[in-house]
Amino acid sequence: MSLRDIFHALLSLTASASFASGFIGRNPILHPRDRSKLEGILEKSKDTGQIGCAVLSCTQLTLGLAESLLIITNHLNPTSPFTHTINSIFLFNNSNPTRLHLSPPRILGALMLILGGQIRLSSSNTLGKFFTYQVGIQQNHKLITTGPYAIVRHPSYTAMMITHPGCLLWNLYRGSYVRESGLLSTPLGFAMTVMVSMALVISTYMIIVTRTRQEDKVMQTAFGDEWEEWAKRVPYLLVPGVY
């Protein structure tokens, strides 16, 4: 097993774990009494995407684990019973695991997953109990302006702008588990890949276009002058110096 194979397996696990760490919600769903009455598809559901993000995180963890296991087992001992079992679980239509490989676009995607996941995790840790998937003002709510919130007003959404394209690059480019495992040749695998890809694109668009402005209005109403002062110090919503 070469150093390149070891790096590939570790990168797959690290990128997937970093993504999941930023998107598995740790706080409970916000009580309806504390939620702001906002318009939009996201606001019509009780969990506002929280369960969806958890499912997406678990899916990425599974994909990352599958790719790592296939690389390790098929390079260490391709004829062992354990390798045969791993292949039978994660491969479809007699696909060849040796086609799994890294490429510059995939490495870029992995780095985007790691960077975005850590930004999202930092945002969550900074807000603590105030980090929720639902927009609203909780009891004893405080305006947090430190950490990543001293750079942009919506760093968790900045993270999504990084992770979601990265997720598509990592999983859909040639050499990926999704492309080389035969998963796309199965009706369920193809349908799930299309749905997840569309969800990543649509959610990113909705966040950029609507959610950031909605959250700003809610926080401005709740905190008044304190929010205005913060907005002057941190004028950018998502990208420093740009937007």
Side-chain angles (χ1 to χ4, degrees):
M1 188 171 180
S2 67
L3 288 176
R4 182 180 181 85
D5 296 327
I6 295 174
F7 174 72
H8 185 171
L10 289 176
L11 184 63
S12 179
L13 288 174
T14 302
S16 299
S18 182
F19 175 83
S21 69
F23 284 89
I24 294 180
R26 291 170 292 175
N27 292 330
I29 295 173
L30 198 61
H31 194 280
R33 68 169 179 269
D34 297 323
R35 292 181 63 171
S36 299
K37 301 299 185 288
L38 301 178
E39 297 294 329
I41 297 176
L42 285 176
E43 310 311 323
K44 295 185 182 299
S45 65
K46 179 181 178 181
D47 61 271
T48 319
Q50 190 163 342
I51 295 176
C53 283
V55 171
L56 184 61
S57 298
C58 292
T59 300
Q60 182 56 58
L61 281 174
T62 302
L63 295 176
L65 179 62
E67 185 162 342
S68 296
L69 284 174
L70 288 169
I71 293 166
I72 294 170
T73 56
N74 283 278
H75 282 86
L76 282 179
N77 192 348
T79 60
S80 74
F82 182 69
T83 298
H84 177 73
T85 300
I86 293 297
N87 289 347
S88 66
I89 294 174
F90 293 114
L91 294 180
F92 306 86
N93 298 331
N94 299 316
S95 298
N96 188 350
T98 60
R99 292 202 297 262
L100 294 168
H101 66 273
L102 291 176
S103 59
R106 292 202 71 212
I107 293 175
L108 174 61
L111 294 176
M112 293 171 71
L113 286 173
I114 294 170
L115 174 61
Q118 293 309 299
I119 293 175
R120 176 95 174 178
L121 182 61
S122 175
S123 302
S124 173
N125 289 338
T126 301
L127 285 187
K129 68 176 183 178
F130 301 128
F131 188 93
T132 60
Y133 284 72
Q134 303 78 42
V135 181
I137 302 299
Q138 303 178 46
Q139 187 176 10
N140 300 319
H141 205 120
K142 297 179 181 179
L143 181 65
I144 306 298
T145 62
T146 58
Y149 293 90
I151 302 173
V152 292
R153 297 207 297 272
H154 302 277
S156 66
Y157 298 152
T158 302
M160 290 177 63
M161 293 173 59
I162 301 172
T163 57
H164 288 18
C167 191
L168 296 176
L169 275 176
W170 174 255
N171 290 306
L172 299 184
Y173 206 79
R174 289 189 303 273
S176 70
Y177 170 77
V178 173
R179 288 284 296 271
E180 309 301 344
S181 66
L183 179 65
L184 293 177
S185 66
T186 67
L188 179 59
F190 181 80
M192 289 183 62
T193 301
V194 171
M195 287 190 295
V196 170
S197 299
M198 290 180 61
L200 290 172
V201 173
I202 293 172
S203 62
T204 303
Y205 173 81
M206 292 177 63
I207 289 300
I208 295 173
V209 173
T210 63
R211 194 71 180 275
T212 52
R213 297 296 183 182
Q214 288 178 330
E215 289 190 10
D216 272 352
K217 289 181 180 179
V218 170
M219 301 301 281
Q220 183 180 21
T221 300
F223 294 101
D225 291 342
E226 186 181 2
W227 184 92
E228 294 287 353
E229 293 176 4
W230 174 52
K232 289 179 181 178
R233 295 196 309 271
V234 185
Y236 299 107
L237 278 73
L238 297 167
V239 183
V242 178
Y243 176 73

